[in-house]
Amino acid sequence: QKEVEQDPGPLSVPEGAIVSLNCTYSNSAFQYFMWYRQYSRKGPELLMYTYSSGNKEDGRFTAQVDKSSKYISLFIRDSQPSDSATYLCAMSPLDNDMRFGAGTRLTVKP
Amino acid sequence: DTAVSQTPKYLVTQMGNDKSIKCEQNLGHDTMYWYKQDSKKFLKIMFSYNNKELIINETVPNRFSPKSPDKAHLNLHINSLELGDSAVYFCASSPVGAGYGYTFGSGTRLTVV
């Protein structure tokens, strides 16, 4: 079993839809949880960051962490074509041991 | 101003050659990393350096060697390139470790023929 599991998709939604992206993990020591967005032929960029359990909202994006279920989610409201990218979850038990999911490829159609 | 810059962006080379990829960050971060991203987009850490000391070294062939002349630079040297080394290599940096997130470079697409 991989430490971090993420459905690679692809996921295709119409513009304006609510998008739900998820990851599960097996290492209960993970404390830092992040979502990165990667456009084609670009490097990943940090989108959301959460420490331990709970929710965090930033504009149209909401990150949720459920440590009891070892499950994290990223919700995108009112999705736009510019949100089309690969979304990678990442998590770490310590300050310098980040583990990435395989990434979910999202397409938002106008 | 580019925060994390890598050169070259593209590298095509023959099997058996030796090549280097350079990385520089102007963010004042303490830790720098090298990641390999395969064709399925999976990111796997190769190395990280904190204050010029190697702190993570995953099961990477010893043909790969990181070199850090100072805190702002972490270069990757690859000897005797193999077909399986073809991938996108990303440099990243972070302040005081991963808890604050990484800033990635734009990647170096390596193709070994």
Side-chain angles (χ1 to χ4, degrees), chain A residues 23-67:
Chain A
C23 287
T24 58
Y25 61 94
S26 58
N27 188 342
S28 58
F30 286 143
Q31 294 291 335
Y32 301 95
F33 301 91
M34 301 176 195
W35 287 94
Y36 287 80
R37 178 176 60 196
Q38 185 177 18
Y39 291 114
S40 181
R41 296 189 175 262
K42 299 286 186 185
E45 56 178 327
L46 183 63
L47 196 59
M48 297 287 284
Y49 160 79
T50 309
Y51 174 71
S52 195
S53 284
N55 295 356
K56 186 172 185 177
E57 188 173 321
D58 184 2
R60 296 184 295 110
F61 298 89
T62 300
Q64 289 185 352
V65 175
D66 181 351
K67 291 188 70 178

Side-chain angles (χ1 to χ4, degrees), chain B residues 80-109:
Chain B
S80 303
L81 278 155
E82 301 178 357
L83 292 176
D85 297 332
S86 296
V88 182
Y89 292 83
F90 285 100
C91 177
S93 70
S94 70
V96 198
Y100 296 89
Y102 292 179
T103 301
F104 281 86
S106 56
T108 295
R109 186 171 295 270

